[in-house]
Amino acid sequence: ATGERLFDRASFLPVLDAGVAVLQPDLSHAGGISEVRRIAALGETHGALLAPHCPLGPIALASSLQVAFATPNFLLQEQSIGIHYNAGSAELLDYVIGREPLAFPAGHIERWDAPGLGIEVDEDAVRAADAVGHRWRSPVWEHP
């Protein structure tokens, strides 16, 4: 599996030719819904599955899920709800009104029929977070 640092269809072709089994494009970096759908279709012609990389916010997750719902070679969806690097700071779902569309009971998600991406951004929460700012830095993990 690979692809979270590849940003267009052309970049995925060499790894597909090398035999990668799972493509992991990040919609926030690889051209959004349209380009990732094209990457998924390219992967399908090579027998590869799609598992979108998505460690970012609720808009990226909702966008990734829209691709998943429409992609026959979809495998699984990465998401960062409740993950360790959000501990002590804002949680991904703090920025949406109504967490139900992005709930994963028993590890699965139900396709919703709400318009657009299916979520409503809590603009007041986003403005409040912007006023405070952040001190987030890339985590450094060291191993012996």
Side-chain angles (χ1 to χ4, degrees):
T2 191
E4 63 189 51
R5 295 176 191 252
L6 301 177
F7 306 119
D8 57 23
R9 284 170 281 168
S11 300
F12 279 90
L13 196 52
V15 297
L16 285 164
D17 287 341
V20 71
V22 180
L23 302 179
Q24 298 177 286
D26 186 318
L27 273 77
S28 297
H29 306 295
I33 290 172
S34 298
E35 184 67 5
V36 171
R37 258 314 268 135
R38 292 179 188 107
I39 291 167
L42 180 63
E44 186 178 19
T45 65
H46 285 78
L49 300 171
L50 181 74
H53 177 66
C54 188
L56 301 173
I59 295 172
L61 179 55
S63 299
S64 293
L65 288 167
Q66 291 296 327
V67 171
F69 297 148
T71 300
N73 56 322
F74 172 75
L75 174 64
L76 58 87
Q77 178 60 61
E78 176 186 30
Q79 52 87 14
S80 60
I81 297 169
I83 199 162
H84 58 88
Y85 57 71
N86 289 337
S89 64
E91 173 58 59
L92 183 131
L93 297 181
D94 289 349
Y95 301 109
V96 294
I97 298 171
R99 297 171 175 223
E100 298 78 24
L102 298 178
F104 287 82
H108 298 4
I109 193 162
E110 295 290 329
R111 185 178 54 83
W112 58 85
D113 59 3
L117 294 177
I119 61 168
E120 184 178 355
V121 174
D122 184 341
E123 294 184 33
D124 292 335
V126 172
R127 285 188 185 94
D130 181 53
V132 171
H134 67 86
R135 300 182 133 219
W136 192 90
R137 300 291 180 262
S138 293
V140 175
W141 291 288
E142 295 180 356
H143 302 281

